[in-house]
């Protein structure tokens, strides 16, 4: 099992920036996919960005060009740099990890249901 703890959420103005972090611990050697997912109250989860074990990165169209996913520390920390924030970015942001083989086939934002482990989330509010 993998434990994930998000941090860095908070408030920002439209056009502003925030960076989210996710501390990954536990069976990290088994992780083949890491990603960020968000959820607005009363709505379904939306996959935003993923990075697989080969370093392939993918973004949802809604955040492409504005958000950047990255990792360091041997996959022990995952980041989401969020620029040019919009009010519609307001949501709870979750870090997630997948542990299956052949991650290049299933590790992409629309397939966040394939993730095995989830953090508890961090709230991002974008308001003027």
């Amino acid at each position: 099992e993998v434990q994930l703890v998000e941090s860095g959420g908070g408030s920002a103005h439209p056009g502003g920036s925030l960076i989210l972090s996710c501390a990954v611990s536990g069976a990290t050697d088994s992780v083949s996919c890491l990603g960020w997912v968000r959820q607005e109250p009363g709505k379904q989860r939306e996959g935003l960005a993923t990075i697989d074990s080969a370093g392939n990165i993918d973004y949802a169209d809604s955040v492409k060009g504005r958000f950047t996913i990255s990792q360091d520390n041997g996959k022990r920390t995952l980041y989401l740099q969020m620029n040019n924030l919009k009010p519609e970015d307001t949501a709870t942001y979750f870090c997630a990890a997948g542990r299956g083989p052949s991650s290049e086939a299933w590790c992409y934002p629309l397939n966040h249901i394939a993730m095995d482990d989830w953090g508890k989330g961090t709230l991002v509010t974008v308001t003027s």
Side-chain angles (χ1 to χ4, degrees):
E1 188 177 349
V2 176
Q3 292 79 46
L4 304 150
V5 179
E6 304 93 341
S7 61
S11 297
H13 294 301
S17 298
L18 284 174
I19 183 165
L20 304 182
S21 299
C22 174
V24 185
S25 61
T28 56
D29 288 345
S30 68
V31 173
S32 55
C33 178
L34 288 168
W36 289 97
V37 179
R38 69 185 177 191
Q39 186 171 25
E40 297 175 60
K43 295 188 177 181
Q44 292 186 339
R45 287 183 174 180
E46 177 189 13
L48 303 176
T50 52
I51 181 167
D52 69 17
S53 55
N56 298 307
I57 289 174
D58 199 3
Y59 295 99
D61 288 343
S62 59
V63 303
K64 196 173 294 183
R66 300 190 299 124
F67 290 10
T68 302
I69 188 172
S70 63
Q71 66 182 28
D72 68 3
N73 243 358
K75 291 191 298 187
R76 292 184 179 274
T77 307
L78 183 71
Y79 301 99
L80 186 69
Q81 174 70 50
M82 305 186 295
N83 297 328
N84 191 21
L85 284 163
K86 304 176 181 180
E88 52 264 40
D89 293 321
T90 295
T92 298
Y93 285 68
F94 299 89
C95 174
R99 293 180 268 116
S102 305
S103 59
E104 66 278 2
W106 55 266
C107 181
Y108 51 92
L110 285 176
N111 198 31
H112 55 82
I113 195 172
M115 296 301 202
D116 299 295
D117 305 292
W118 293 78
K120 294 184 178 181
T122 185
L123 179 63
V124 171
T125 303
V126 183
T127 179
S128 54

